[in-house]
Amino acid sequence: MLALIAFLPILATLVLMMVFNWPAKRCLLISWVMAAVFALVFWNIDAMALVAGSLYGMLSSADVLIIITGAILLMNTLKASGATAAINRGFMNICPDKRVQACIIGFSFCSFIEAAAGFGTPAALAGPLMVSLGFPPMAAAMIALVCDSTAVSFGAVGTPVTSALNVLGLSHDAAYIADFSFWTALPHAVMCTFLPLVVLMMTTKFFSKDKSIKPALEAAPFAIFSGLSMAIPMLLIAMVVGYEFASLLGALISIAASVIAAKKGFLVPKKTWDFGDPDKWEKEWLATSEVSPVAESDMSLLKAWVPYLLVAVILVLTRIPQLGIKGLLNSGLPFVVGIKNLLGFENLNWSLKWAYLPGTFFVLVSLITNVYHGMKAEQIKQSWKDTLKQVSGAALALLFGMALVEVLKYKGAAGVSMMDEMASALAMVGGSLYVLIAPFIGVLGAFVSGSATVSMNLFTNLQYNTATVLGLPTVFVISMQCVGAAVGNMVCINNAVAASATIGTTGREGQLIKTNAIPMLYYAIGTAILFYIVLALGITPVA
């Protein structure tokens, strides 16, 4: 009964967003109120604790808002300076086919940014880039969110995996780490081989005049090649080098392989495909807010790409622990600001690592670009004006979304949270059938919290203990949790809000989540079936 009550705020959000097409900011406000009332009545959470938890969640939204603001500012800066026009010409020279561009930018480039930075950054960069190339805004949002999945488990230099190992106290168990790395990489490698094709099928089905998957099937050889160019290196690197660099190096190899193949015409469809005349696009494909036009220029391709290259270099340098920069930027004042014991509650210590956030680097690179690209004062002013206008639409949704997360996570008098009740209900499925449920517990954590890392922190112990009770290999179940947490990024509310804000489709988050549920189910069910077969064959982990 309690599990059903705990699900109601999430169910309300889904129904209001996906059935009635309400904007996320209104839905999340209603869901937060519902969760707060349920927490008071059924979980006996102190009213002051509820206020403190909600405030903590709202403060925590600053991280995402800074990332969104920086990403939108960088996008608007490049549009105003003429860099976007030059980048567009460059991609047209590589290959004008939108299916090929979706594989290179949506899958390979998005995976690289996820591997380097994580935390919603990929959709914020790849989405606007695709829009500037002529993708319908809703198509760009869908592609970016769906493709920001494979690299997530090993994203931000392996943060989700590291979090799980720390939670279990196994961060020094070399055998378990090796097993965990392999069994997390394997399902990703299998599923991501066909992910670009699935994305293309959805793109041509939902965003083309003919509403057919036939154009996607024509590009199937290139799409599968693109998937394999990530899958094989990622799996091998996870086995040989280590999980920290599996996504990073795998994505770099994928970018290089896909770009070279496209330029050489290898496996590229003979007939070029695009989305047709923008004046004839359906209303549901378009942005809901006015977007500034791309400024024309004769800027060189290298000069236009320098801001993106700077972002990539900075992200990599600040994410590799061995270089020492990561430790410095996370070391405390002045790089970290915060509030201890929020409203007197010892377990609520909010901090903002402003110097480590990708959004801060986006703003910094935008300022450098103002000078490097010789932008006029009016261009700079317009880029900031457009940015603040776009961000304002997402701010309320993120505030109430993060407040909702904290209410669902907060443990009541019995030491059990609403999130615990939901996961425990799913975990009641016994025996080998639990394998079919395990990935979806990871999806649930990411869907609600907006983070694979948070999902791992929330449910790793639950998954481990359930596997132990059921006599299942714990590494299999934890790996499924890790893959599910990555896949949850496709449909999580906060990511949908962030992606929509950067592309100008705020208010259509429900439509985006509903569409992305298709590839999420493909990935999660495929992972579950893979492990079900592994268990049926009697294969066991080494550790």
Side-chain angles (χ1 to χ4, degrees):
M1 182 63 181
L2 283 178
L4 179 60
I5 294 171
F7 269 114
L8 285 177
I10 296 176
L11 185 61
T13 301
L14 291 174
V15 171
L16 292 173
M17 289 177 67
M18 296 168 63
V19 178
F20 295 98
N21 292 318
W22 283 20
K25 58 185 177 183
R26 196 190 309 173
C27 301
L28 290 169
L29 169 59
I30 293 171
S31 296
W32 170 67
V33 171
M34 286 179 64
V37 171
F38 293 161
L40 286 169
V41 176
F42 297 102
W43 275 266
N44 298 318
I45 293 177
D46 178 73
M48 199 61 195
L50 196 64
V51 172
S54 297
L55 179 59
Y56 177 86
M58 290 180 177
L59 288 170
S60 299
S61 69
D63 298 54
V64 184
L65 280 171
I66 290 173
I67 292 173
I68 293 173
T69 302
I72 296 175
L73 177 63
L74 181 60
M75 173 189 70
N76 287 329
T77 299
L78 295 179
K79 284 169 65 176
S81 74
T84 297
I87 291 170
N88 291 353
R89 289 197 306 271
F91 271 108
M92 290 299 180
N93 290 334
I94 293 174
C95 184
D97 195 304
K98 291 293 179 283
R99 296 165 297 187
V100 173
Q101 292 175 2
C103 291
I104 295 173
I105 303 170
F107 182 68
S108 301
F109 178 68
C110 206
S111 294
F112 171 72
I113 298 300
E114 172 60 43
F119 302 102
T121 310
L125 286 180
L129 185 55
M130 283 186 281
V131 171
S132 71
L133 283 168
F135 285 66
M138 282 299 290
M142 180 271 290
I143 294 168
L145 282 182
V146 171
C147 290
D148 184 18
S149 50
T150 294
V152 170
S153 291
F154 303 126
V157 199
T159 300
V161 171
T162 300
S163 298
L165 291 169
N166 288 338
V167 166
L168 295 173
L170 296 171
S171 56
H172 299 293
D173 189 329
Y176 200 93
I177 293 172
D179 261 359
F180 188 15
S181 299
F182 173 76
W183 289 107
T184 301
L186 181 63
H188 273 310
V190 173
M191 303 313 297
C192 90
T193 297
F194 302 99
L195 185 62
L197 177 57
V198 171
V199 169
L200 293 188
M201 291 169 67
M202 293 178 61
T203 301
T204 61
K205 177 65 177 177
F206 297 129
F207 301 99
S208 70
K209 179 182 177 182
D210 297 329
K211 295 287 192 292
S212 170
I213 65 170
K214 185 178 178 182
L217 297 178
E218 291 170 356
F222 187 88
I224 293 173
F225 170 79
S226 180
L228 285 171
S229 71
M230 174 75 178
I232 296 173
M234 181 180 65
L235 180 59
L236 293 176
I237 292 163
M239 294 169 61
V240 178
V241 179
Y243 69 86
E244 295 93 341
F245 300 101
S247 289
L248 189 67
L249 297 180
L252 278 173
I253 293 169
S254 181
I255 291 173
S258 298
V259 168
I260 292 170
K263 291 197 72 170
K264 298 291 185 181
F266 179 66
L267 300 178
V268 173
K270 293 181 179 179
K271 185 178 179 181
T272 300
W273 182 88
D274 61 27
F275 294 95
D277 184 357
D279 292 332
K280 296 181 180 179
W281 287 353
E282 295 179 16
K283 183 181 178 181
E284 290 73 19
W285 304 0
L286 305 176
T288 54
S289 58
E290 188 177 344
V291 180
S292 298
V294 175
E296 293 298 325
S297 75
D298 57 358
M299 185 183 296
S300 71
L301 188 58
L302 177 60
K303 187 174 183 179
W305 268 104
V306 163
Y308 280 125
L309 295 174
L310 271 176
V311 168
V313 169
I314 293 171
L315 288 175
V316 171
L317 291 178
T318 55
R319 264 57 188 171
I320 299 176
Q322 291 82 350
L323 297 178
I325 302 175
K326 178 177 180 179
L328 175 65
L329 297 182
N330 287 279
S331 61
L333 289 172
F335 303 115
V336 181
V337 296
I339 302 172
K340 286 188 176 182
N341 303 331
L342 185 64
L343 298 185
F345 289 86
E346 294 182 4
N347 60 327
L348 293 179
N349 297 308
W350 173 74
S351 64
L352 178 65
K353 299 176 181 179
W354 65 268
Y356 184 69
L357 288 174
T360 302
F361 305 138
F362 296 159
V363 173
L364 174 63
V365 171
S366 297
L367 296 176
I368 293 171
T369 303
N370 293 157
V371 178
Y372 180 60
H373 286 178
M375 295 177 66
K376 297 177 182 178
E378 187 58 36
Q379 292 175 315
I380 298 171
K381 180 181 176 182
Q382 189 61 46
S383 65
W384 276 95
K385 183 179 178 181
D386 291 342
T387 298
L388 295 175
K389 183 179 178 182
Q390 288 173 262
V391 170
S392 62
L396 273 177
L398 288 170
L399 283 172
F400 289 116
M402 295 302 289
L404 172 64
V405 170
E406 290 306 315
V407 173
L408 294 176
K409 286 167 52 181
Y410 209 94
K411 295 184 184 296
V416 178
S417 69
M418 297 171 76
M419 190 83 81
D420 292 334
E421 292 285 358
M422 288 185 272
S424 296
L426 291 173
M428 288 175 69
V429 178
S432 58
L433 288 179
Y434 182 74
V435 174
L436 303 177
I437 298 296
F440 289 95
I441 295 178
V443 170
L444 173 66
F447 170 78
V448 175
S449 70
S451 166
T453 301
V454 173
S455 181
M456 297 308 291
N457 287 334
L458 284 173
F459 296 143
T460 292
N461 268 329
L462 171 76
Q463 297 266 37
Y464 187 93
N465 293 337
T466 304
T468 302
V469 170
L470 296 175
L472 297 171
T474 59
V475 75
F476 284 179
V477 176
I478 299 303
S479 294
M480 283 186 279
Q481 159 69 25
C482 198
V483 174
V487 176
N489 274 261
M490 297 185 189
V491 293
C492 86
I493 299 170
N494 288 340
N495 280 6
V497 170
S500 297
T502 58
I503 296 169
T505 57
T506 298
R508 293 207 174 117
E509 298 89 354
Q511 182 183 337
L512 189 57
I513 292 171
K514 184 163 56 177
T515 304
N516 289 3
I518 299 170
M520 180 276 287
L521 290 171
Y522 150 77
Y523 215 121
I525 292 173
T527 298
I529 291 173
L530 174 66
F531 276 99
Y532 190 86
I533 293 171
V534 166
L535 284 170
L537 293 174
I539 298 172
T540 56
V542 175

